[in-house]
Amino acid sequence: MITLAQIGVGAWGKNHLRNFYSFSGCRVKRCCDRDPRVLNGIAVDYKGEIRCTTDPEAIFGDREIDGVVIATLPETHAEKAVKALESGKHVFIEKPLAMSLKEGLRIRKA
């Protein structure tokens, strides 16, 4: 069983969450979004099974989380991915991976 968290659950993020939640080998432990209204919807839709937060640091610091799904605004992908990787997490980044070659190389280095 792999334990996941997701940062960004609006727009396309809801689709990623639904898919990862449905995999038998996955447990989605946490979700993070900057919009509390989006998180309230997640809490209702998933009947409180997924802990919600507006603070991504709660995800990076959680030792139970193996991987992080990043579905935020594209300009924040590199920053969040590097932080997750430096926290020892595996990362799934929705496209685009990064906004520049420099950011992509930063992610690869991490």
Side-chain angles (χ1 to χ4, degrees):
M1 179 71 71
I2 186 168
T3 301
L4 299 178
Q6 183 165 322
I7 302 173
V9 289
W12 274 100
K14 290 179 183 180
N15 297 322
H16 295 307
L17 179 61
R18 182 185 67 247
N19 288 325
F20 282 110
Y21 182 84
S22 72
F23 294 152
S24 62
C26 277
R27 171 183 167 234
V28 180
K29 180 180 179 182
R30 288 182 176 260
C31 280
C32 177
D33 199 277
R34 63 185 181 180
D35 187 342
R37 293 172 299 174
V38 170
L39 295 176
N40 287 338
I42 296 299
V44 169
D45 292 347
Y46 293 90
K47 299 172 181 51
E49 292 179 34
I50 300 173
R51 292 176 48 200
C52 296
T53 182
T54 57
D55 181 13
E57 293 299 322
I59 288 171
F60 301 136
D62 189 329
R63 292 181 177 261
E64 287 184 9
I65 294 172
D66 303 306
V68 179
V69 176
I70 299 173
T72 57
L73 297 173
E75 50 274 359
T76 67
H77 287 181
E79 171 197 344
K80 303 271 191 271
V82 168
K83 183 74 175 181
L85 290 164
E86 288 176 345
S87 300
K89 315 293 187 208
H90 298 280
V91 176
F92 173 94
I93 307 168
E94 80 173 350
K95 63 183 181 180
L97 172 76
M99 297 299 288
S100 68
L101 175 61
K102 183 178 178 180
E103 285 183 352
L105 293 172
R106 222 175 112 219
I107 293 168
R108 183 177 87 177
K109 184 178 180 184

